[in-house]
């Protein structure tokens, strides 16, 4: 992050950028798809957003860290909760999202669909 240093604004937005798997860089290095954040009329930092598929991997890794063990080792109720969280975050709008989640949870695609349908029926 050369060129953006210890700016308080950068410090404030860093947890959000990290949570979504983005990358922070100096505004002068921003590409056409990057988001330049300004504060008090000056460009402070550019954020390079991850591809959606990379975001899903990042979210899955964060959920594993939060739960303290691989998602595949969770019990059924905890896996259902993970599916609810992922659905709320749009994970299943990503191409191959169900397959990716099923693999991380150690269940079949059919099971993930059952978890999703169970939530809708509740």
């Amino acid at each position: 992050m050369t060129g953006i240093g210890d700016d308080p604004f950068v410090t404030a937005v860093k947890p959000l950028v990290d949570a979504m798997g983005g990358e922070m860089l100096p505004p002068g290095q921003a590409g056409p798809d990057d988001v330049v954040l300004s504060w008090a009329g000056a460009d402070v930092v550019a954020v390079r957003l991850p591809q959606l598929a990379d975001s899903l991997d990042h979210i899955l890794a964060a959920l594993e860290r939060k739960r303290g063990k691989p998602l595949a080792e969770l019990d059924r109720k905890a896996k259902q909760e993970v599916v609810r969280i992922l659905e709320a975050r749009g994970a299943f709008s990503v191409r191959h999202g169900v397959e990716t989640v099923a693999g991380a949870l150690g269940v079949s695609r059919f099971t993930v669909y059952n978890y999703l349908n169970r939530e809708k029926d509740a």
Side-chain angles (χ1 to χ4, degrees), residues 4-84:
I4 52 180
D6 294 325
D7 185 285
F9 180 75
V10 171
T11 302
V13 299
K14 186 174 183 339
L16 176 62
V17 174
D18 289 346
M20 56 187 209
E23 176 186 354
M24 299 171 73
L25 45 133
Q29 294 179 14
D33 294 329
D34 297 332
V35 178
V36 177
L37 302 177
S38 301
W39 184 257
D43 292 344
V44 179
V45 64
V47 177
R48 181 158 296 151
L49 300 172
Q51 298 296 315
L52 284 176
D54 295 337
S55 291
L56 179 53
D57 290 338
H58 189 79
I59 292 167
L60 289 167
L63 286 169
E64 270 192 359
R65 281 192 306 276
K66 187 175 186 177
R67 298 198 179 252
K69 61 180 166 181
L71 297 178
E73 294 179 10
L74 299 175
D75 63 25
R76 184 175 51 91
K77 185 175 180 180
K79 288 179 181 182
Q80 290 171 337
E81 176 64 24
V82 166
V83 168
R84 282 193 293 276

Side-chain angles (χ1 to χ4, degrees), residues 56-120:
L56 179 53
D57 290 338
H58 189 79
I59 292 167
L60 289 167
L63 286 169
E64 270 192 359
R65 281 192 306 276
K66 187 175 186 177
R67 298 198 179 252
K69 61 180 166 181
L71 297 178
E73 294 179 10
L74 299 175
D75 63 25
R76 184 175 51 91
K77 185 175 180 180
K79 288 179 181 182
Q80 290 171 337
E81 176 64 24
V82 166
V83 168
R84 282 193 293 276
I85 291 167
L86 292 169
E87 182 179 30
R89 296 191 67 183
F92 302 111
S93 63
V94 176
R95 185 173 183 191
H96 303 296
V98 171
E99 292 86 348
T100 301
V101 170
L105 293 176
V107 299
S108 68
R109 289 179 19 224
F110 180 76
T111 299
V112 172
Y113 284 119
N114 279 341
Y115 291 169
L116 289 167
N117 289 334
R118 174 169 288 141
E119 184 63 22
K120 288 177 178 50

